[in-house]
Amino acid sequence: MTQLIETCNATICRTYARLPVLFVRGEGCRLWDDTGKEYLDFLAGIAVCNLGHSHPLVARAVCEQATTLVHVSNLFYTRPQIELARELTRRSFADKVFFANSGAEANEAAIKLARKYSRDHFGPGRFHIIAMTNSFHGRTLATLSATGQAKVHKGFEPLVEGFSFVPFDSVEAVRQAVTEQTCAVLVEPIQGEGGVRFPSRGYLRELKEFCRAHNLLLIFDEVQVGMGRTGTLFAHEQEEVNPDILTLAKALANGLPIGAMLTHDAVAEAFSAGTHATTFGGTPLVTRAALTTLEIIAEPDFLERVRSVGTYFLQRLTQLKEAHACVREVRGRGLLLAVELDRPAQPVVEYCLEQGFVINCVQDSVIRLAPPLIVEEDQIDRLLPVLDRALSELEAVAA
Ligand SMILES: *Cc1c(COP(=O)(O)O)cnc(C)c1O
């Protein structure tokens, strides 16, 4: 283990602050490290393995596809890609899909499409996108430029032109920021990396009306909160509002790398042949995994269970808040939940890991809980006393 960590540090770019655990196997909500120690996973690889680790149906689909056809390029037709596009459009507002390989690339496609659509319809110069403070849209140059966090920009200037930032959850702020150069508004329906922040009810709908009135495209980044995470296939369904462009990634293929940008025909037209492309986008292997994942997650009973287990989890966390003065707020929808502390939460993450529970924190003081959507109430019951002790220790240290 020590040897491997040394090799890692010597050979892999040091872009990640890793915790000292070497995972070797996963099944459902459980993970095992190289010493055989078992963990319960309340992170799901950052909201990626929504069906849990090594899901038998996804594993079978991947194995079958791996021995049938993995990749031939988008110069040809392949069946799983077409079937996935059909299912995604059937289950959403969208008519068309562009497949990419990550969340950043899905957003990159959305940004390019918004610019191209605006240029086709309104001429040059109208390419600005209004995004939100504390947002997260990825680490490519365009998507980090679209991200409203200075720490993500730092050192990579000059940024891609044409992004401005306004506070999340304020249509008025968007109204004031719009200029003749604005072509789109980019927003996460719930901010994930920004601290698991939920906007007020009605915000997204009002934003849509505003965008429609000003001929602006509304882009929802559901890379983190889509695919059943909040108890509906897409988070925006609960706000009864559709975007013009939707981006998905993380959980779409339950762990295989994929991204997707969805939109309606009128907007998709701006992407004519040759305007945008990617070698790996929508390979038979990943789209087959995604198709299986989507079919399971989209089941009404499955989603209903995410909502009810999520409600239970939130109730349990609310009890935790009552017992600990360091907890500012608990919040959640479906199985995306957060415990916001009045101090750094990393010691809680490390304590839980020692005890065999995987969680993480965002924005220093927010504990994020995003277990596989198949998590059971008794597994939540096992986490709670550990969180309780971790918070007591944290309070004792400060006292
Ligand atoms: C993770 C994330 C991204 C970036 O996805 P990558 O696959 O890491 O490029 C973009 N937007 C949101 C909301 C995310 O949570």
mmCIF file of all heavy atoms in Angstrom, residues 47-94:
data_model
loop_
_atom_site.group_PDB
_atom_site.id
_atom_site.type_symbol
_atom_site.label_atom_id
_atom_site.label_comp_id
_atom_site.label_asym_id
_atom_site.label_seq_id
_atom_site.Cartn_x
_atom_site.Cartn_y
_atom_site.Cartn_z
ATOM 1 N N ALA A 47 -21.756 10.426 -6.948
ATOM 2 C CA ALA A 47 -23.068 10.349 -7.612
ATOM 3 C C ALA A 47 -22.991 9.692 -8.988
ATOM 4 O O ALA A 47 -23.701 10.075 -9.922
ATOM 5 C CB ALA A 47 -23.711 11.741 -7.702
ATOM 6 N N VAL A 48 -22.112 8.691 -9.109
ATOM 7 C CA VAL A 48 -21.927 8.010 -10.394
ATOM 8 C C VAL A 48 -22.552 6.602 -10.384
ATOM 9 O O VAL A 48 -23.350 6.266 -11.257
ATOM 10 C CB VAL A 48 -20.425 7.945 -10.765
ATOM 11 C CG1 VAL A 48 -20.195 6.980 -11.928
ATOM 12 C CG2 VAL A 48 -19.897 9.344 -11.108
ATOM 13 N N CYS A 49 -22.199 5.813 -9.377
ATOM 14 C CA CYS A 49 -22.688 4.429 -9.344
ATOM 15 C C CYS A 49 -24.067 4.392 -8.690
ATOM 16 O O CYS A 49 -24.238 3.861 -7.585
ATOM 17 C CB CYS A 49 -21.695 3.539 -8.601
ATOM 18 S SG CYS A 49 -20.076 3.557 -9.372
ATOM 19 N N ASN A 50 -25.052 4.972 -9.368
ATOM 20 C CA ASN A 50 -26.386 5.100 -8.780
ATOM 21 C C ASN A 50 -27.054 3.758 -8.546
ATOM 22 O O ASN A 50 -27.904 3.634 -7.676
ATOM 23 C CB ASN A 50 -27.271 6.001 -9.655
ATOM 24 C CG ASN A 50 -26.989 7.477 -9.398
ATOM 25 O OD1 ASN A 50 -26.020 7.811 -8.717
ATOM 26 N ND2 ASN A 50 -27.824 8.345 -9.935
ATOM 27 N N LEU A 51 -26.678 2.749 -9.314
ATOM 28 C CA LEU A 51 -27.239 1.409 -9.096
ATOM 29 C C LEU A 51 -26.352 0.572 -8.192
ATOM 30 O O LEU A 51 -26.543 -0.642 -8.069
ATOM 31 C CB LEU A 51 -27.421 0.684 -10.436
ATOM 32 C CG LEU A 51 -28.450 1.304 -11.385
ATOM 33 C CD1 LEU A 51 -28.484 0.531 -12.694
ATOM 34 C CD2 LEU A 51 -29.833 1.325 -10.748
ATOM 35 N N GLY A 52 -25.360 1.190 -7.601
ATOM 36 C CA GLY A 52 -24.425 0.454 -6.757
ATOM 37 C C GLY A 52 -23.306 -0.154 -7.589
ATOM 38 O O GLY A 52 -23.326 -0.113 -8.815
ATOM 39 N N HIS A 53 -22.341 -0.716 -6.882
ATOM 40 C CA HIS A 53 -21.160 -1.270 -7.555
ATOM 41 C C HIS A 53 -21.473 -2.639 -8.142
ATOM 42 O O HIS A 53 -22.233 -3.413 -7.562
ATOM 43 C CB HIS A 53 -19.999 -1.362 -6.563
ATOM 44 C CG HIS A 53 -19.632 -0.021 -6.003
ATOM 45 N ND1 HIS A 53 -18.845 0.878 -6.682
ATOM 46 C CD2 HIS A 53 -19.999 0.604 -4.855
ATOM 47 C CE1 HIS A 53 -18.716 1.989 -5.954
ATOM 48 N NE2 HIS A 53 -19.416 1.851 -4.840
ATOM 49 N N SER A 54 -20.866 -2.910 -9.274
ATOM 50 C CA SER A 54 -20.968 -4.225 -9.935
ATOM 51 C C SER A 54 -22.416 -4.688 -10.078
ATOM 52 O O SER A 54 -22.724 -5.850 -9.795
ATOM 53 C CB SER A 54 -20.187 -5.297 -9.156
ATOM 54 O OG SER A 54 -18.917 -4.827 -8.793
ATOM 55 N N HIS A 55 -23.283 -3.774 -10.479
ATOM 56 C CA HIS A 55 -24.684 -4.191 -10.645
ATOM 57 C C HIS A 55 -24.756 -5.347 -11.647
ATOM 58 O O HIS A 55 -24.231 -5.248 -12.758
ATOM 59 C CB HIS A 55 -25.531 -3.007 -11.137
ATOM 60 C CG HIS A 55 -26.992 -3.307 -11.124
ATOM 61 N ND1 HIS A 55 -27.605 -4.062 -12.100
ATOM 62 C CD2 HIS A 55 -27.961 -2.983 -10.235
ATOM 63 C CE1 HIS A 55 -28.894 -4.173 -11.819
ATOM 64 N NE2 HIS A 55 -29.132 -3.532 -10.686
ATOM 65 N N PRO A 56 -25.412 -6.450 -11.271
ATOM 66 C CA PRO A 56 -25.345 -7.645 -12.140
ATOM 67 C C PRO A 56 -25.846 -7.412 -13.573
ATOM 68 O O PRO A 56 -25.248 -7.927 -14.515
ATOM 69 C CB PRO A 56 -26.219 -8.677 -11.409
ATOM 70 C CG PRO A 56 -26.883 -7.955 -10.290
ATOM 71 C CD PRO A 56 -26.139 -6.694 -10.023
ATOM 72 N N LEU A 57 -26.927 -6.641 -13.732
ATOM 73 C CA LEU A 57 -27.446 -6.448 -15.097
ATOM 74 C C LEU A 57 -26.534 -5.549 -15.922
ATOM 75 O O LEU A 57 -26.337 -5.780 -17.117
ATOM 76 C CB LEU A 57 -28.873 -5.876 -15.049
ATOM 77 C CG LEU A 57 -29.929 -6.789 -14.430
ATOM 78 C CD1 LEU A 57 -31.295 -6.118 -14.452
ATOM 79 C CD2 LEU A 57 -29.979 -8.134 -15.139
ATOM 80 N N VAL A 58 -25.974 -4.520 -15.283
ATOM 81 C CA VAL A 58 -25.043 -3.642 -16.005
ATOM 82 C C VAL A 58 -23.772 -4.434 -16.342
ATOM 83 O O VAL A 58 -23.261 -4.358 -17.462
ATOM 84 C CB VAL A 58 -24.705 -2.377 -15.188
ATOM 85 C CG1 VAL A 58 -23.729 -1.485 -15.957
ATOM 86 C CG2 VAL A 58 -25.970 -1.603 -14.838
ATOM 87 N N ALA A 59 -23.297 -5.204 -15.367
ATOM 88 C CA ALA A 59 -22.083 -6.002 -15.600
ATOM 89 C C ALA A 59 -22.293 -6.974 -16.757
ATOM 90 O O ALA A 59 -21.426 -7.121 -17.622
ATOM 91 C CB ALA A 59 -21.705 -6.758 -14.324
ATOM 92 N N ARG A 60 -23.466 -7.608 -16.787
ATOM 93 C CA ARG A 60 -23.727 -8.565 -17.857
ATOM 94 C C ARG A 60 -23.774 -7.855 -19.219
ATOM 95 O O ARG A 60 -23.202 -8.328 -20.209
ATOM 96 C CB ARG A 60 -25.044 -9.309 -17.597
ATOM 97 C CG ARG A 60 -25.109 -10.602 -18.396
ATOM 98 C CD ARG A 60 -26.500 -11.019 -18.766
ATOM 99 N NE ARG A 60 -27.318 -11.295 -17.585
ATOM 100 C CZ ARG A 60 -28.652 -11.357 -17.623
ATOM 101 N NH1 ARG A 60 -29.290 -11.152 -18.756
ATOM 102 N NH2 ARG A 60 -29.333 -11.596 -16.527
ATOM 103 N N ALA A 61 -24.451 -6.688 -19.235
ATOM 104 C CA ALA A 61 -24.549 -5.931 -20.493
ATOM 105 C C ALA A 61 -23.155 -5.532 -20.994
ATOM 106 O O ALA A 61 -22.847 -5.654 -22.185
ATOM 107 C CB ALA A 61 -25.418 -4.688 -20.287
ATOM 108 N N VAL A 62 -22.307 -5.082 -20.067
ATOM 109 C CA VAL A 62 -20.955 -4.656 -20.448
ATOM 110 C C VAL A 62 -20.142 -5.849 -20.955
ATOM 111 O O VAL A 62 -19.468 -5.769 -21.982
ATOM 112 C CB VAL A 62 -20.243 -3.967 -19.256
ATOM 113 C CG1 VAL A 62 -18.763 -3.741 -19.552
ATOM 114 C CG2 VAL A 62 -20.922 -2.637 -18.926
ATOM 115 N N CYS A 63 -20.236 -6.972 -20.246
ATOM 116 C CA CYS A 63 -19.479 -8.166 -20.670
ATOM 117 C C CYS A 63 -19.928 -8.634 -22.047
ATOM 118 O O CYS A 63 -19.102 -8.907 -22.916
ATOM 119 C CB CYS A 63 -19.653 -9.297 -19.662
ATOM 120 S SG CYS A 63 -18.802 -8.972 -18.120
ATOM 121 N N GLU A 64 -21.237 -8.697 -22.237
ATOM 122 C CA GLU A 64 -21.758 -9.131 -23.541
ATOM 123 C C GLU A 64 -21.290 -8.212 -24.652
ATOM 124 O O GLU A 64 -20.850 -8.639 -25.710
ATOM 125 C CB GLU A 64 -23.294 -9.124 -23.523
ATOM 126 C CG GLU A 64 -23.890 -10.421 -23.036
ATOM 127 C CD GLU A 64 -25.420 -10.358 -22.971
ATOM 128 O OE1 GLU A 64 -26.020 -9.482 -23.644
ATOM 129 O OE2 GLU A 64 -25.977 -11.158 -22.226
ATOM 130 N N GLN A 65 -21.385 -6.897 -24.364
ATOM 131 C CA GLN A 65 -21.014 -5.928 -25.395
ATOM 132 C C GLN A 65 -19.510 -5.954 -25.657
ATOM 133 O O GLN A 65 -19.062 -5.813 -26.789
ATOM 134 C CB GLN A 65 -21.490 -4.522 -24.994
ATOM 135 C CG GLN A 65 -21.484 -3.528 -26.134
ATOM 136 C CD GLN A 65 -22.376 -3.940 -27.301
ATOM 137 O OE1 GLN A 65 -23.538 -4.309 -27.105
ATOM 138 N NE2 GLN A 65 -21.839 -3.905 -28.506
ATOM 139 N N ALA A 66 -18.726 -6.169 -24.581
ATOM 140 C CA ALA A 66 -17.257 -6.182 -24.723
ATOM 141 C C ALA A 66 -16.800 -7.341 -25.604
ATOM 142 O O ALA A 66 -15.767 -7.249 -26.261
ATOM 143 C CB ALA A 66 -16.582 -6.263 -23.356
ATOM 144 N N THR A 67 -17.581 -8.396 -25.613
ATOM 145 C CA THR A 67 -17.199 -9.523 -26.460
ATOM 146 C C THR A 67 -17.918 -9.486 -27.811
ATOM 147 O O THR A 67 -17.794 -10.418 -28.600
ATOM 148 C CB THR A 67 -17.504 -10.868 -25.752
ATOM 149 O OG1 THR A 67 -18.864 -10.850 -25.324
ATOM 150 C CG2 THR A 67 -16.599 -11.073 -24.546
ATOM 151 N N THR A 68 -18.689 -8.395 -28.051
ATOM 152 C CA THR A 68 -19.420 -8.287 -29.317
ATOM 153 C C THR A 68 -18.884 -7.155 -30.187
ATOM 154 O O THR A 68 -18.444 -7.375 -31.319
ATOM 155 C CB THR A 68 -20.923 -8.050 -29.044
ATOM 156 O OG1 THR A 68 -21.400 -9.062 -28.170
ATOM 157 C CG2 THR A 68 -21.719 -8.068 -30.332
ATOM 158 N N LEU A 69 -18.900 -5.928 -29.616
ATOM 159 C CA LEU A 69 -18.423 -4.759 -30.365
ATOM 160 C C LEU A 69 -18.206 -3.618 -29.378
ATOM 161 O O LEU A 69 -19.136 -3.217 -28.686
ATOM 162 C CB LEU A 69 -19.469 -4.340 -31.412
ATOM 163 C CG LEU A 69 -19.062 -3.213 -32.357
ATOM 164 C CD1 LEU A 69 -17.963 -3.656 -33.311
ATOM 165 C CD2 LEU A 69 -20.272 -2.717 -33.154
ATOM 166 N N VAL A 70 -16.990 -3.099 -29.333
ATOM 167 C CA VAL A 70 -16.678 -2.041 -28.372
ATOM 168 C C VAL A 70 -16.689 -0.669 -29.015
ATOM 169 O O VAL A 70 -17.246 0.289 -28.481
ATOM 170 C CB VAL A 70 -15.305 -2.303 -27.692
ATOM 171 C CG1 VAL A 70 -14.851 -1.091 -26.869
ATOM 172 C CG2 VAL A 70 -15.391 -3.534 -26.799
ATOM 173 N N HIS A 71 -16.116 -0.556 -30.203
ATOM 174 C CA HIS A 71 -15.961 0.764 -30.818
ATOM 175 C C HIS A 71 -15.751 0.637 -32.325
ATOM 176 O O HIS A 71 -14.986 -0.211 -32.764
ATOM 177 C CB HIS A 71 -14.750 1.479 -30.205
ATOM 178 C CG HIS A 71 -14.420 2.783 -30.868
ATOM 179 N ND1 HIS A 71 -14.999 3.976 -30.499
ATOM 180 C CD2 HIS A 71 -13.589 3.079 -31.898
ATOM 181 C CE1 HIS A 71 -14.538 4.946 -31.272
ATOM 182 N NE2 HIS A 71 -13.675 4.435 -32.129
ATOM 183 N N VAL A 72 -16.444 1.482 -33.079
ATOM 184 C CA VAL A 72 -16.165 1.532 -34.524
ATOM 185 C C VAL A 72 -16.080 2.961 -35.044
ATOM 186 O O VAL A 72 -15.771 3.168 -36.210
ATOM 187 C CB VAL A 72 -17.231 0.807 -35.381
ATOM 188 C CG1 VAL A 72 -17.105 -0.692 -35.247
ATOM 189 C CG2 VAL A 72 -18.630 1.296 -35.065
ATOM 190 N N SER A 73 -16.387 3.952 -34.182
ATOM 191 C CA SER A 73 -16.415 5.379 -34.510
ATOM 192 C C SER A 73 -17.795 5.805 -34.994
ATOM 193 O O SER A 73 -18.628 4.965 -35.373
ATOM 194 C CB SER A 73 -15.371 5.776 -35.557
ATOM 195 O OG SER A 73 -15.920 5.680 -36.870
ATOM 196 N N ASN A 74 -17.981 7.116 -34.974
ATOM 197 C CA ASN A 74 -19.263 7.682 -35.390
ATOM 198 C C ASN A 74 -19.350 7.895 -36.900
ATOM 199 O O ASN A 74 -20.219 8.616 -37.383
ATOM 200 C CB ASN A 74 -19.530 8.974 -34.615
ATOM 201 C CG ASN A 74 -19.894 8.675 -33.161
ATOM 202 O OD1 ASN A 74 -20.755 7.842 -32.900
ATOM 203 N ND2 ASN A 74 -19.213 9.309 -32.240
ATOM 204 N N LEU A 75 -18.459 7.239 -37.627
ATOM 205 C CA LEU A 75 -18.595 7.223 -39.092
ATOM 206 C C LEU A 75 -19.645 6.205 -39.510
ATOM 207 O O LEU A 75 -20.024 6.136 -40.674
ATOM 208 C CB LEU A 75 -17.251 6.870 -39.739
ATOM 209 C CG LEU A 75 -16.091 7.829 -39.438
ATOM 210 C CD1 LEU A 75 -14.796 7.313 -40.030
ATOM 211 C CD2 LEU A 75 -16.398 9.226 -39.973
ATOM 212 N N PHE A 76 -20.103 5.403 -38.516
ATOM 213 C CA PHE A 76 -21.063 4.340 -38.803
ATOM 214 C C PHE A 76 -22.202 4.348 -37.791
ATOM 215 O O PHE A 76 -22.131 5.046 -36.794
ATOM 216 C CB PHE A 76 -20.350 2.973 -38.756
ATOM 217 C CG PHE A 76 -19.132 2.928 -39.627
ATOM 218 C CD1 PHE A 76 -17.872 3.142 -39.080
ATOM 219 C CD2 PHE A 76 -19.240 2.723 -40.996
ATOM 220 C CE1 PHE A 76 -16.742 3.136 -39.880
ATOM 221 C CE2 PHE A 76 -18.116 2.726 -41.808
ATOM 222 C CZ PHE A 76 -16.860 2.932 -41.255
ATOM 223 N N TYR A 77 -23.209 3.564 -38.053
ATOM 224 C CA TYR A 77 -24.321 3.395 -37.114
ATOM 225 C C TYR A 77 -24.015 2.238 -36.170
ATOM 226 O O TYR A 77 -23.443 1.228 -36.601
ATOM 227 C CB TYR A 77 -25.615 3.065 -37.869
ATOM 228 C CG TYR A 77 -26.075 4.175 -38.784
ATOM 229 C CD1 TYR A 77 -25.758 4.179 -40.140
ATOM 230 C CD2 TYR A 77 -26.830 5.238 -38.285
ATOM 231 C CE1 TYR A 77 -26.176 5.208 -40.981
ATOM 232 C CE2 TYR A 77 -27.254 6.266 -39.116
ATOM 233 C CZ TYR A 77 -26.919 6.250 -40.459
ATOM 234 O OH TYR A 77 -27.326 7.262 -41.269
ATOM 235 N N THR A 78 -24.401 2.406 -34.900
ATOM 236 C CA THR A 78 -24.332 1.268 -33.974
ATOM 237 C C THR A 78 -25.631 1.231 -33.169
ATOM 238 O O THR A 78 -26.197 2.275 -32.830
ATOM 239 C CB THR A 78 -23.128 1.366 -33.011
ATOM 240 O OG1 THR A 78 -23.122 2.649 -32.389
ATOM 241 C CG2 THR A 78 -21.814 1.159 -33.753
ATOM 242 N N ARG A 79 -26.089 0.019 -32.899
ATOM 243 C CA ARG A 79 -27.425 -0.153 -32.326
ATOM 244 C C ARG A 79 -27.585 0.409 -30.905
ATOM 245 O O ARG A 79 -28.550 1.141 -30.651
ATOM 246 C CB ARG A 79 -27.810 -1.640 -32.378
ATOM 247 C CG ARG A 79 -29.294 -1.889 -32.307
ATOM 248 C CD ARG A 79 -29.623 -3.382 -32.348
ATOM 249 N NE ARG A 79 -29.194 -4.040 -33.580
ATOM 250 C CZ ARG A 79 -29.909 -4.042 -34.705
ATOM 251 N NH1 ARG A 79 -31.069 -3.443 -34.767
ATOM 252 N NH2 ARG A 79 -29.449 -4.673 -35.763
ATOM 253 N N PRO A 80 -26.680 0.099 -29.971
ATOM 254 C CA PRO A 80 -26.915 0.588 -28.591
ATOM 255 C C PRO A 80 -27.001 2.116 -28.520
ATOM 256 O O PRO A 80 -27.798 2.659 -27.741
ATOM 257 C CB PRO A 80 -25.696 0.068 -27.811
ATOM 258 C CG PRO A 80 -25.185 -1.081 -28.604
ATOM 259 C CD PRO A 80 -25.478 -0.757 -30.034
ATOM 260 N N GLN A 81 -26.197 2.809 -29.301
ATOM 261 C CA GLN A 81 -26.224 4.280 -29.289
ATOM 262 C C GLN A 81 -27.590 4.803 -29.718
ATOM 263 O O GLN A 81 -28.148 5.711 -29.102
ATOM 264 C CB GLN A 81 -25.133 4.827 -30.221
ATOM 265 C CG GLN A 81 -25.051 6.336 -30.206
ATOM 266 C CD GLN A 81 -24.011 6.890 -31.175
ATOM 267 O OE1 GLN A 81 -24.360 7.490 -32.181
ATOM 268 N NE2 GLN A 81 -22.738 6.698 -30.858
ATOM 269 N N ILE A 82 -28.126 4.209 -30.770
ATOM 270 C CA ILE A 82 -29.423 4.655 -31.292
ATOM 271 C C ILE A 82 -30.529 4.332 -30.286
ATOM 272 O O ILE A 82 -31.410 5.151 -30.016
ATOM 273 C CB ILE A 82 -29.707 4.000 -32.660
ATOM 274 C CG1 ILE A 82 -28.641 4.447 -33.668
ATOM 275 C CG2 ILE A 82 -31.112 4.352 -33.152
ATOM 276 C CD1 ILE A 82 -28.601 3.630 -34.947
ATOM 277 N N GLU A 83 -30.443 3.141 -29.703
ATOM 278 C CA GLU A 83 -31.467 2.758 -28.722
ATOM 279 C C GLU A 83 -31.422 3.658 -27.489
ATOM 280 O O GLU A 83 -32.463 4.028 -26.947
ATOM 281 C CB GLU A 83 -31.283 1.285 -28.324
ATOM 282 C CG GLU A 83 -31.728 0.357 -29.440
ATOM 283 C CD GLU A 83 -31.461 -1.121 -29.159
ATOM 284 O OE1 GLU A 83 -30.929 -1.453 -28.074
ATOM 285 O OE2 GLU A 83 -31.775 -1.924 -30.042
ATOM 286 N N LEU A 84 -30.225 4.024 -27.062
ATOM 287 C CA LEU A 84 -30.109 4.912 -25.901
ATOM 288 C C LEU A 84 -30.691 6.287 -26.224
ATOM 289 O O LEU A 84 -31.425 6.868 -25.412
ATOM 290 C CB LEU A 84 -28.645 5.039 -25.451
ATOM 291 C CG LEU A 84 -28.420 6.001 -24.276
ATOM 292 C CD1 LEU A 84 -29.170 5.553 -23.024
ATOM 293 C CD2 LEU A 84 -26.921 6.142 -23.972
ATOM 294 N N ALA A 85 -30.392 6.800 -27.404
ATOM 295 C CA ALA A 85 -30.931 8.108 -27.810
ATOM 296 C C ALA A 85 -32.456 8.055 -27.857
ATOM 297 O O ALA A 85 -33.139 8.985 -27.405
ATOM 298 C CB ALA A 85 -30.363 8.508 -29.166
ATOM 299 N N ARG A 86 -32.984 6.964 -28.369
ATOM 300 C CA ARG A 86 -34.436 6.822 -28.435
ATOM 301 C C ARG A 86 -35.038 6.832 -27.030
ATOM 302 O O ARG A 86 -36.039 7.502 -26.777
ATOM 303 C CB ARG A 86 -34.785 5.514 -29.165
ATOM 304 C CG ARG A 86 -36.258 5.381 -29.518
ATOM 305 C CD ARG A 86 -36.586 4.022 -30.082
ATOM 306 N NE ARG A 86 -36.204 2.976 -29.133
ATOM 307 C CZ ARG A 86 -35.906 1.723 -29.462
ATOM 308 N NH1 ARG A 86 -35.953 1.339 -30.718
ATOM 309 N NH2 ARG A 86 -35.567 0.846 -28.535
ATOM 310 N N GLU A 87 -34.425 6.108 -26.108
ATOM 311 C CA GLU A 87 -34.945 6.051 -24.738
ATOM 312 C C GLU A 87 -34.817 7.393 -24.020
ATOM 313 O O GLU A 87 -35.715 7.813 -23.296
ATOM 314 C CB GLU A 87 -34.238 4.957 -23.934
ATOM 315 C CG GLU A 87 -34.667 3.558 -24.312
ATOM 316 C CD GLU A 87 -36.183 3.391 -24.271
ATOM 317 O OE1 GLU A 87 -36.786 3.608 -23.206
ATOM 318 O OE2 GLU A 87 -36.769 3.066 -25.322
ATOM 319 N N LEU A 88 -33.677 8.070 -24.209
ATOM 320 C CA LEU A 88 -33.486 9.364 -23.541
ATOM 321 C C LEU A 88 -34.481 10.399 -24.062
ATOM 322 O O LEU A 88 -35.035 11.185 -23.288
ATOM 323 C CB LEU A 88 -32.056 9.872 -23.752
ATOM 324 C CG LEU A 88 -30.968 9.225 -22.891
ATOM 325 C CD1 LEU A 88 -29.579 9.676 -23.348
ATOM 326 C CD2 LEU A 88 -31.161 9.568 -21.408
ATOM 327 N N THR A 89 -34.713 10.399 -25.353
ATOM 328 C CA THR A 89 -35.651 11.390 -25.902
ATOM 329 C C THR A 89 -37.082 11.022 -25.536
ATOM 330 O O THR A 89 -37.896 11.892 -25.242
ATOM 331 C CB THR A 89 -35.495 11.526 -27.433
ATOM 332 O OG1 THR A 89 -35.607 10.234 -28.036
ATOM 333 C CG2 THR A 89 -34.153 12.143 -27.787
ATOM 334 N N ARG A 90 -37.382 9.724 -25.519
ATOM 335 C CA ARG A 90 -38.720 9.290 -25.151
ATOM 336 C C ARG A 90 -39.061 9.692 -23.713
ATOM 337 O O ARG A 90 -40.203 9.998 -23.401
ATOM 338 C CB ARG A 90 -38.798 7.756 -25.277
ATOM 339 C CG ARG A 90 -40.202 7.188 -25.193
ATOM 340 C CD ARG A 90 -40.221 5.750 -25.682
ATOM 341 N NE ARG A 90 -39.625 4.807 -24.744
ATOM 342 C CZ ARG A 90 -40.240 4.344 -23.657
ATOM 343 N NH1 ARG A 90 -41.449 4.750 -23.360
ATOM 344 N NH2 ARG A 90 -39.631 3.475 -22.876
ATOM 345 N N ARG A 91 -38.049 9.725 -22.860
ATOM 346 C CA ARG A 91 -38.296 9.985 -21.450
ATOM 347 C C ARG A 91 -38.011 11.431 -21.041
ATOM 348 O O ARG A 91 -37.936 11.740 -19.853
ATOM 349 C CB ARG A 91 -37.426 9.056 -20.593
ATOM 350 C CG ARG A 91 -37.778 7.599 -20.758
ATOM 351 C CD ARG A 91 -36.816 6.746 -19.973
ATOM 352 N NE ARG A 91 -36.927 5.338 -20.317
ATOM 353 C CZ ARG A 91 -37.843 4.515 -19.828
ATOM 354 N NH1 ARG A 91 -38.732 4.962 -18.982
ATOM 355 N NH2 ARG A 91 -37.857 3.253 -20.192
ATOM 356 N N SER A 92 -37.791 12.303 -22.015
ATOM 357 C CA SER A 92 -37.481 13.693 -21.671
ATOM 358 C C SER A 92 -38.165 14.635 -22.647
ATOM 359 O O SER A 92 -38.845 14.204 -23.575
ATOM 360 C CB SER A 92 -35.967 13.925 -21.732
ATOM 361 O OG SER A 92 -35.519 13.880 -23.076
ATOM 362 N N PHE A 93 -37.948 15.926 -22.453
ATOM 363 C CA PHE A 93 -38.493 16.958 -23.344
ATOM 364 C C PHE A 93 -37.796 16.939 -24.706
ATOM 365 O O PHE A 93 -38.273 17.560 -25.650
ATOM 366 C CB PHE A 93 -38.262 18.337 -22.703
ATOM 367 C CG PHE A 93 -36.797 18.727 -22.768
ATOM 368 C CD1 PHE A 93 -36.332 19.551 -23.794
ATOM 369 C CD2 PHE A 93 -35.889 18.204 -21.862
ATOM 370 C CE1 PHE A 93 -34.980 19.862 -23.890
ATOM 371 C CE2 PHE A 93 -34.534 18.514 -21.964
ATOM 372 C CZ PHE A 93 -34.085 19.347 -22.970
ATOM 373 N N ALA A 94 -36.661 16.257 -24.786
ATOM 374 C CA ALA A 94 -35.750 16.455 -25.922
ATOM 375 C C ALA A 94 -36.119 15.622 -27.150
ATOM 376 O O ALA A 94 -36.789 14.595 -27.049
ATOM 377 C CB ALA A 94 -34.328 16.129 -25.490
#
